[in-house]
Amino acid sequence: MRGFTAAALAAIGATFLAAAPEAAQISGAGATFPYPIYAKWAEAYKAKTGVAMNYQSIGSGGGIKQIESKTVDFGASDMPLKPQDLEKAGLLQFPMIMGGEVAVLNLKGVAPGTLKLDGKALAGIYLGKIAKWNDPALQKLNPGLALPDQAIAVIHRSDGSGTTFIFTDYLSKVSPEWSDSVGASTAVGWPVGLGGKGNEGVAALVGRTAGAIGYVEYAYAKQNNLAYALLANKSGAYNQPDAASFQAAAANADWRSAKDFDLLLTDQPGAASWPITGASFILMHRQQAKPATAKQVLDFFDWCYRHGQSLAAELDYVPMPASVVDLVEAGWKTQITGPDGKPVWTGPGS
Amino acid sequence: MTAAILPALRKPRLGRFGDPAFRALTSAFALLVLVILGGIVAALARGALPALAKFGLPFLASAAWNPVKENFGAAAPIYGTLVTSAIAMLVAIPLAFGIALFITELCPAWLKRPLGTMIELLAAIPSIIYGIWGLFVFAPFLQAHLEPAIIASLGALPGIGALFAGPPLGIGLLTAGLILAIMVLPFITAVMRDVFATVPAILRESAYGIGATTFEVVWRVVLPYTRTGVLGGIMLGLGRALGETMAVTFVIGNAHRIQASLLQPGTTISAALANEFTEAVGDIYTSSLIALGLILFIITAIVLALAKLMLIRLEARAGA
């Protein structure tokens, strides 16, 4: 019995030790949207350097809580924190990766990428004002399509999500009525519709429900071969959702003048932009008690920025443009410091 | 000499100290249950306090659920929990009763064992499997076949037509209730079958002997003899239906709304918790979810208390 207890204690102790950020182990937690690419980057980085990165995709809210209580080396959120909240928690925020969201459909007789929607129509559908596919507002946008006399099944996320935040932020920007009555957040009071859990839940509901419309990250729509709608951007142009149009939205964004990178990529100007584009953010403490670990974390992110682009493209994410990377890394050099007040990271390979 | 006495002495000594020690140990185990239960209630109440302080009693009656404006109410999840469980019971109890009766009274001997095993297997399926099956197989079937028929027939009736109105979505309170019915069926059936089997053969045979039909034997002899056990089985099923999470989340639609139609989406307390807890930002949001948990706890306690009360009254009537 005593031997067993000792063994159990040793096992528990070993678990805790393994979880602690030892020399070759860094840990993060947060948003689910960037999880596939973070996992891929971690795998490649470990093969190259031996440094393992452990990321728990527990959701943006959980990531923020964990980094605030310092149980992880970095947090990840799809919703940028406001400068005053960052200041209160002593956190630095920077964008890591971008991606797009698409409106997916299950509509018999309508080929993928042929139905056109604009922001007002999409908001109307999600407000419940447009309840049938042959509504005059939709028919007007699609003069060449024979839209069926079928009820629209509105699908949204049932769990709180950065994906929902980006989507509702877009609707708030294009529809004053949405902004007034619903607003933008990771979870909102949906006026109509059914909720699916996770991107896969929404994709499954849309795929299984005749007459459905939903929103998912582009990668999920692509993997599940879901039909998507074309969305009018701010300039009124209809583009295909792909890396090029996501990148165009990001390129038009003015990161330089956004304090703490508190910037959203939805409804960006530019004829080539995709309207529902978003970035995922990393959160780190400005004051680092363990500068060696912090340096390892930043080395990892630096590697991702500079060598992770092709992996990102494989998974349909959009890497940050070089100009933004320079801006982010300049922030690291001045704002993340150790107990001695010296910056923990001074440049690639330092 | 001493060597011969020692074993004899040891025996009563063990009895003297062994029994009290055993009693202390088991009562400590029993006490542990109370401590854990008390701890859960205390933790839930503490977590729910900010929301209850902010919204007060109207929290129970409000169907609002707006994380953006931090305005929350529990009415929609409570409604969904009660309605889906009621549908489940309405479907599962007669079915379970029929299956249990068939197995104990009418089934040919060679079929008894395989049938019983199959029903127990139903109970062993993890709830997530029911959820996935419900979403990918059952819901599309309902949407394409059953729901259009229901809307066309029952939906046209005055009065109760409102319960079956709206577009067929395949997802909603009715689907969740039906999935729950399938899930609780094996529990209720297994208990009913076991208690039906406890009816002494002499009672049954006497009834047949005086010319009773099978129906009369069941209604007048088997059921009165086993009603405590039958009620226990129903309560076991109801308890499971009230708290079931994963399967319901997949097929209920997760919408914080109260709608008259059973074909429309809703939510239950456990589904709302499972969906929203991870990403609930802000103290009031989290606290409101914990308050939902507390309410579920109270609902379950009330159901159990009612069951106990019913049993006591049944026994009193039987004794009189």
Side-chain angles (χ1 to χ4, degrees), chain A residues 91-115:
Chain A
L91 292 170
L92 181 74
Q93 164 174 283
F94 51 89
M96 195 65 222
I97 189 77
M98 296 179 292
E101 288 174 22
V102 293
V104 289
L105 312 164
N106 180 346
L107 202 51
K108 233 183 211 154
V110 175
T114 52
L115 183 85

Side-chain angles (χ1 to χ4, degrees), chain A residues 58-62 65 151 153 156 158-160 180-182 185-195 197 204-205 208-210, chain B residues 65-69 135-137 140 143 167-169 171 246 249-250 253-255 257 265 274-282 285-286:
Chain A
I58 54 172
S60 300
K65 275 178 209 146
H156 55 73
S158 60
D159 48 337
D180 288 344
S181 62
V182 185
S185 185
T186 52
V188 300
W190 297 98
V192 291
L194 354 158
K197 190 162 166 56
L205 273 181
R208 290 283 151 187
T209 313
Chain B
W65 194 265
N66 194 331
V68 182
K69 301 191 170 73
L135 178 60
F136 286 99
V137 181
Q143 186 186 22
L169 298 167
I171 299 278
M246 229 40 233
T249 301
F250 272 83
N254 303 304
R257 283 189 296 277
N275 272 305
E276 299 177 41
F277 214 88
T278 42
E279 286 268 1
V281 209
Y285 194 177
T286 316

Side-chain angles (χ1 to χ4, degrees), chain B residues 52 56-65 72-87 173 180 238 241-243 248 252 255-259 266-273 288-300 302-303:
Chain B
L52 297 178
L57 220 51
F59 183 72
L60 291 174
S62 159
W65 194 265
F72 300 101
I78 292 175
Y79 173 80
T81 305
L82 296 179
V83 168
T84 51
S85 294
I87 295 172
L173 293 170
L180 280 179
L238 182 56
L242 285 171
V248 171
I252 197 165
H256 282 274
R257 283 189 296 277
I258 297 180
Q259 284 156 303
T267 190
T268 69
I269 292 174
S270 49
L273 287 175
S288 300
L289 286 169
I290 296 174
L292 281 185
L294 183 65
I295 291 168
L296 182 60
F297 196 94
I298 293 169
I299 290 177
T300 316
I302 290 174
V303 165

